[in-house]
Amino acid sequence: MAYKISDECISCGACAAQCPVSAISEGDGKFVIDADTCVECGACAETCPVGAPAQE
Ligand code: SF4
Ligand code: SF4
């Protein structure tokens, strides 16, 4: 299952810079992951300072 970013996101952008397939973009009030592009590598979850990305 693809990763998803929770409302804890503070829009720092760190995850987007780490994603190997550029699946993460800035959304309305938080960053969002394109589920069809995500390859479930976990890099975003490891990078995020607030633990916002998680697998559903
Ligand atoms: Fe990108 Fe990997 Fe996070 Fe999916 S799990 S959004 S591929 S960094
Ligand atoms: Fe949001 Fe975490 Fe990504 Fe920063 S690293 S944009 S807080 S999900």
Side-chain angles (χ1 to χ4, degrees):
M1 265 180 283
Y3 278 69
K4 188 171 182 181
I5 294 173
S6 76
D7 290 343
E8 299 300 306
C9 174
I10 55 172
S11 295
C12 71
C15 56
Q18 292 299 319
C19 181
V21 293
S22 300
I24 309 174
S25 60
E26 188 163 13
D28 187 15
K30 66 174 185 175
F31 273 57
V32 291
I33 294 171
D34 177 29
D36 292 332
T37 305
C38 175
V39 295
E40 302 163 31
C41 70
C44 52
E46 289 174 21
T47 303
C48 181
V50 297
Q55 243 170 342
E56 291 197 294

